[in-house]
Amino acid sequence: MSGDNCIFCKIIEGKIPSKKVYEDDEILAFHDINPSAPIHFLVIPKKHLPMLSDASSEDTQLLGKIMLKIPELAIQEGANPGQAGGFKVLMNNGAEGGQEVYHMHLHVLAGKRVGN
Ligand code: AMP
Ligand code: ZN
């Protein structure tokens, strides 16, 4: 299932290049093209879900898998470990939530103090 003219589906299909962080059969993670922190990557389901609001109970395992993968990938990409280190996970949902690309994605930011 691929969204028509969806830029992230094109990245999944390899039609648009990306700097990959991780890939398996259900998930892709790649560097954000316009980073807001020294470490800034996106984690997406390969399934084309436009936004979190479009997910349903059948996506429970997929969303859980993505969440549990993030700490591992943050460390892999250079986030400092433990309570003194860390990272920020952010998801925009809908226009008023600041979403620009309508293929659900989590931002992972780290490498400086990205918390408030
Ligand atoms: P959002 O506002 O949450 O929809 O964020 C979309 C993010 O996708 C932005 O941070 C963009 O910099 C990023 N982005 C857009 N196009 C690409 C691309 N081709 N490769 C990597 N990141 C991208
Ligand atoms: Zn898509």
Side-chain angles (χ1 to χ4, degrees):
M1 182 173 64
S2 170
D4 289 342
N5 282 321
C6 171
I7 186 171
F8 287 177
C9 282
K10 287 185 176 139
I11 287 176
I12 291 164
E13 291 161 10
K15 291 177 182 160
I16 292 177
S18 70
K19 207 174 147 199
K20 275 182 203 168
V21 166
Y22 174 78
E23 181 169 22
D24 67 24
D25 55 335
E26 293 181 302
I27 297 173
L28 179 67
F30 53 96
H31 288 274
D32 196 292
I33 206 165
N34 184 21
S36 317
I39 299 164
H40 184 179
F41 62 90
L42 305 173
V43 188
I44 67 173
K46 288 190 171 176
K47 177 179 178 180
H48 178 81
L49 284 166
M51 51 186 180
L52 180 62
S53 308
D54 296 309
S56 67
S57 58
E58 74 178 39
D59 303 308
T60 301
Q61 193 189 349
L62 176 62
L63 298 187
K65 181 176 166 179
I66 288 173
M67 292 306 290
L68 293 172
K69 199 75 197 166
I70 285 173
E72 178 191 327
L73 297 180
I75 296 295
Q76 174 191 303
E77 293 306 304
N80 292 315
Q83 289 189 359
F87 51 87
K88 177 176 277 195
V89 181
L90 182 81
M91 180 162 20
N92 298 323
N93 188 96
E96 293 187 358
Q99 188 172 5
E100 292 180 350
V101 176
Y102 285 89
H103 182 125
M104 202 197 101
H105 52 279
L106 289 107
H107 295 256
V108 182
L109 303 128
K112 63 173 187 184
R113 189 165 179 92
V114 290
N116 295 318

